[in-house]
Amino acid sequence: MICLMMMSSANSQQRLSDSTVIVPVKSLRNALAVKADRDNLKNQLGVARDSITVMDSIITKQDKIIKVSDSTRLVLDSLIDDYEGTVTAKNGIIHEQDGKINSLEKTIKALVGTVIATTVAFLAVLL
């Protein structure tokens, strides 16, 4: 408890029950207001510290989630690159096979022409 002794007028002072200390009412009210403000600020500081601790924990967890997401994205990017390489290789095989098909079609057309010409020549010899 805060006890202050001051010289002031008689009607601004209050006598306590044991009659040993006289404290001006205004000073007592101010001291109680300051103590109430101090207690209130102490409670607010405690709440702020608790909030900071909770927010720090949340931020740490979110950072971990971001790191996991980044590493997952890197793995997926690598897989996409692998698939793109596979698609490019398959496209090369398809292009090569198309070339072979065109070559075989030309060969078949030439053979058909040769067979027809040979057949016509054979028929001409027979007749």
Side-chain angles (χ1 to χ4, degrees):
M1 176 177 228
I2 300 174
C3 296
L4 300 174
M5 295 193 65
M6 295 181 68
M7 300 295 283
S8 72
S9 64
N11 52 354
S12 71
Q13 295 182 352
Q14 178 178 339
R15 192 170 285 272
L16 298 177
S17 61
D18 65 353
S19 300
T20 57
V21 178
I22 296 176
V23 177
V25 173
K26 185 176 180 181
S27 297
L28 183 59
R29 284 183 185 151
N30 286 342
L32 289 174
V34 168
K35 183 181 182 312
D37 286 344
R38 180 188 165 276
D39 292 344
N40 187 28
L41 290 173
K42 184 178 178 182
N43 290 336
Q44 287 177 358
L45 184 62
V47 169
R49 283 183 184 151
D50 292 345
S51 296
I52 289 170
T53 302
V54 169
M55 294 305 286
D56 187 48
S57 172
I58 290 170
I59 289 169
T60 301
K61 289 175 183 176
Q62 288 176 341
D63 284 346
K64 288 179 184 177
I65 290 170
I66 289 170
K67 287 178 184 176
V68 168
S69 296
D70 284 348
S71 64
T72 302
R73 186 186 55 80
L74 290 174
V75 168
L76 291 176
D77 285 346
S78 174
L79 290 174
I80 288 171
D81 289 342
D82 291 346
Y83 285 130
E84 287 175 348
T86 302
V87 168
T88 302
K90 297 291 184 179
N91 284 339
I93 292 170
I94 290 170
H95 182 69
E96 182 182 325
Q97 295 298 326
D98 283 344
K100 287 181 182 179
I101 289 171
N102 290 335
S103 175
L104 289 173
E105 285 175 346
K106 288 178 184 176
T107 304
I108 289 172
K109 286 179 184 176
L111 288 175
V112 169
T114 304
V115 168
I116 291 174
T118 305
T119 304
V120 170
F122 182 70
L123 289 175
V125 171
L126 288 176
L127 292 173

